[in-house]
Amino acid sequence: MAFNHKHILGTEYLSREDIQLILDTAESFREINTRSIKKVPTLRGKTIINAFFENSTRTRLSFEIAGKRLSADTVNISGSTSSVTKGETLEDTARNIEAMHPDIIVIRHGHSGAPHYLAERLHCSVINAGDGAHEHPSQALLDMLTMRQHKGEIDGLKVAIVGDIAHSRVVRSNLYALNKMGADVHLAGPGTMMPSGIERLGATVHYDIRAAIKDADVVMMLRIQLERQGLTLLPTLREYARFFGLNDDVLKLAKADAIVMHPGPMNRGVEISSAVADGPQNVILGQVENGVAVRMALLYLVSGGEQAVE
Amino acid sequence: MAEQGTLILDKAGVRRALTRIAHEIIERNKGVKNVALVGIRSGGDDLAKLLARQIAAIENIEVPLGTIDITMYRDDLDSRGGKPIGKTEIPFSLDDMKIVLVDDVLFTGRTIRAAMDALMDLGRPRAIQLSVLIDRGHRELPIRPDFVGRNLPTAINEKIDVVFDGERNPLEVRLIKS
């Protein structure tokens, strides 16, 4: 089957078949990352601009490594060093970037919809690397690749996502994608962090971590965004850790072979105890490893590649 | 399974060609010490498996067998809109090995160039030899096979179809005129 998307703006716009194709392609790319020479010439001559107008280390690094392993030329722009700080609008920045004829722009932006805005105006492909509290598609896809590796099929899995649901773009992307793949998604978090009507996106809402985690196959903990709204919505971090933190006792409620995921970076002792973070059920570093493969797949597929479904 | 076109090789014909190639590989390399077979996906990997079986029947030695996917090494991502990606599986070290690359049809030579690039990224073989079931001509690169099942001069618009059964065993080879 063919991949017909020029842009990757969110998992909302991907079909079940698209997601399957991306995961299968990523699986093939994982092999390259284990070689001694981790480079193939697939995207030789292509220019990828990583425009990160919001802080990010691992996503930017992951996209940069993915591009370089496919032999593309990758250039990074970060918010603090770009002309945005001098008052330039996103449109002007975009036009200037386009004048340099890139093939793909990977954009992270603090405002929801910024990648869509660019996709409508630019001729090159746009990949959303996180926009505001809206979507973070590559994170959701790498989460699903990790689930598939550990659980075989995503269809029928009970996935519990716990934390600041309201401000998490990871949750939204995962909700769209997991529902399409047939997973049963349960959300838990404090009432101040649970947006009203989120059930409509296809999830069961709980205000008790124990109810959400019971018999789960996958437990995904979200980061409390200390630098943003986190602290204004909580009485204290200690209370949050007590009621919504994942520790050994709580984890026992999930299935014995449940995996623990976290999009990172972790606040140890807040949303996840150190014992769980370093425990045998965590697959957090596997998520990071899969991130490179998934991003290679996205760069390849928007460049015109496709993978036959056997 | 293709119904039209001219039959070039039937099942027995393919088997005879592979048997002969197996003997030639053994003879050229004076045995099969340090020889390994690498099939190119897809089609070449199935033939490589059969060749390995033939060599084992003749020499009583199992040669290392691998498969290589060259999609990521193709030079035509833009014009062809990409090709299916498969897995590369080479469960042995290529260093100092004599690698026999196996493909079903040799045409422009671009697939073989890509396969050689891919092999070089994985190790440093002592030599690379090329075995194909059908050489249909129209080379665009200076590449020549070492072992050929059948030389078949074709028109550029004709197509060679190597037909496999459900168990990926070759059934026949057909020339399809368009």
Side-chain angles (χ1 to χ4, degrees):
Chain A
M1 81 156 254
F3 191 77
N4 295 320
H5 298 272
K6 185 181 175 191
H7 312 291
I8 307 281
L9 299 178
T11 55
E12 185 183 355
Y13 315 105
L14 298 173
S15 67
R16 183 187 169 101
E17 290 70 31
D18 291 331
I19 294 170
Q20 200 82 44
L21 179 69
I22 293 167
L23 300 185
D24 289 346
T25 308
E27 202 65 64
S28 300
F29 279 120
R30 267 163 51 85
E31 182 262 332
I32 295 169
N33 297 328
T34 60
R35 293 182 185 178
S36 52
I37 299 174
K38 300 174 186 58
K39 207 171 176 83
V40 288
T42 317
L43 297 188
R44 193 166 45 200
K46 303 260 183 206
T47 304
I48 300 171
I49 295 185
N50 293 320
F52 278 66
F53 297 109
E54 196 186 57
N55 283 341
S56 164
T57 305
R58 76 193 69 204
T59 306
R60 186 182 57 73
L61 195 62
S62 187
F63 267 110
E64 189 175 351
I65 289 175
K68 288 198 151 95
R69 290 201 175 152
L70 292 171
S71 299
D73 298 311
T74 58
V75 186
N76 295 319
I77 302 171
S78 67
S80 56
T81 60
S82 78
S83 295
V84 175
T85 53
K86 299 176 190 166
E88 191 176 62
T89 64
L90 181 61
E91 173 132 14
D92 285 335
T93 306
R95 283 197 185 139
N96 278 285
I97 292 174
E98 178 147 60
M100 298 172 206
H101 301 288
D103 297 284
I104 302 172
I105 291 183
V106 177
I107 178 171
R108 148 98 35 128
H109 203 283
H111 290 156
S112 302
H116 300 66
Y117 183 85
L118 287 190
E120 282 171 13
R121 285 162 179 78
L122 303 184
H123 294 108
C124 61
S125 292
V126 175
I127 297 181
N128 180 1
D131 60 332
H134 177 229
E135 277 232 42
H136 192 354
S138 61
Q139 176 71 40
L141 290 161
L142 74 87
D143 287 341
M144 281 191 292
L145 184 63
T146 311
M147 288 178 209
R148 209 173 71 164
Q149 274 160 11
H150 289 272
K151 298 290 169 191
E153 272 298 317
I154 294 169
D155 210 337
L157 289 183
K158 177 178 177 183
V159 180
I161 307 179
V162 182
D164 183 358
I165 308 295
H167 299 100
S168 173
R169 49 194 172 212
V170 175
V171 166
R172 246 163 291 275
S173 284
N174 261 302
L175 263 177
Y176 289 125
L178 285 168
N179 273 307
K180 283 172 188 162
M181 301 307 282
D184 177 21
V185 186
H186 292 251
L187 304 175
T192 50
M193 294 177 162
M194 188 65 74
S196 60
I198 189 88
E199 306 86 349
R200 285 201 295 271
L201 294 184
T204 310
V205 172
H206 306 268
Y207 296 97
D208 178 358
I209 185 175
R210 291 166 188 272
I213 282 187
K214 193 167 179 346
D215 297 325
D217 299 281
V218 177
V219 180
M220 189 185 295
M221 300 308 292
L222 300 174
R223 184 171 68 92
I224 289 299
Q225 303 188 9
L226 298 174
E227 78 284 15
R228 288 195 209 150
Q229 10 350 61
L231 289 177
T232 60
L233 300 171
L234 296 169
T236 63
L237 287 181
R238 203 166 146 211
E239 185 181 305
Y240 180 84
R242 191 165 152 215
F243 286 105
F244 290 98
L246 184 66
N247 55 39
D248 279 331
D249 282 343
V250 178
L251 185 56
K252 276 185 194 136
L253 296 168
K255 284 195 182 148
D257 63 348
I259 55 170
V260 175
M261 305 177 81
H262 194 299
M266 290 184 282
N267 296 310
R268 282 171 183 262
V270 182
E271 68 260 7
I272 191 164
S273 73
S274 260
V276 173
D278 299 325
Q281 283 168 274
N282 102 69
V283 295
I284 296 163
L285 289 177
Q287 288 174 266
V288 177
E289 189 186 339
N290 285 335
V292 175
V294 160
R295 286 162 184 137
M296 286 168 87
L298 294 180
L299 295 172
Y300 172 73
L301 288 168
V302 298
S303 302
E306 64 182 66
Q307 176 169 3
V309 177
E310 286 185 21
Chain B
M1 189 171 135
E3 292 297 333
Q4 77 278 46
T6 315
L7 184 68
I8 303 299
L9 288 174
D10 59 8
K11 198 172 177 179
V14 174
R15 199 192 62 232
R16 277 195 290 271
L18 290 178
T19 309
R20 180 169 51 74
I21 290 174
H23 280 286
E24 286 175 4
I25 290 172
I26 296 163
E27 216 170 298
R28 161 83 70 95
N29 294 294
K30 300 182 177 64
V32 285
K33 191 164 180 268
N34 294 332
V35 170
L37 300 182
V38 174
I40 300 174
R41 275 186 203 277
S42 63
D45 51 345
D46 299 309
L47 296 177
K49 251 179 246 162
L50 291 178
L51 267 179
R53 215 177 291 160
Q54 298 269 19
I55 289 171
I58 301 162
E59 287 286 286
N60 211 15
I61 295 173
E62 300 226 345
V63 294
L65 182 64
T67 56
I68 198 157
D69 182 89
I70 52 101
T71 318
M72 289 177 262
Y73 290 82
R74 292 207 61 113
D75 52 10
D76 53 3
L77 179 66
D78 287 331
S79 61
R80 289 170 57 126
K83 288 270 288 170
I85 288 192
K87 280 208 178 73
T88 291
E89 287 163 305
I90 305 217
F92 52 89
S93 168
L94 291 169
D95 295 349
D96 267 341
M97 296 289 276
K98 288 186 261 183
I99 303 299
V100 181
L101 263 180
V102 182
D103 205 0
D104 47 3
V105 180
L106 177 57
F107 184 28
T108 60
R110 288 180 189 269
T111 298
I112 306 303
R113 182 207 65 87
M116 289 195 287
D117 281 350
L119 277 181
M120 294 300 190
D121 273 357
L122 294 169
R124 189 182 183 284
R126 173 182 301 211
I128 299 177
Q129 299 165 3
L130 175 60
S131 163
V132 296
L133 184 60
I134 306 287
D135 180 357
R136 62 166 291 192
H138 305 288
R139 213 79 75 241
E140 293 170 5
L141 298 171
I143 282 169
R144 179 181 58 78
D146 299 275
F147 314 104
V148 186
R150 180 83 171 261
N151 279 300
L152 189 70
T154 54
I156 191 82
N157 56 353
E158 286 170 332
K159 194 175 158 251
I160 301 287
D161 196 7
V162 181
V163 185
F164 291 88
D165 66 13
E167 267 118 49
R168 300 297 300 164
N169 288 312
L171 278 179
E172 57 189 27
V173 179
R174 285 185 173 271
L175 174 71
I176 307 203
K177 294 182 192 292
S178 58

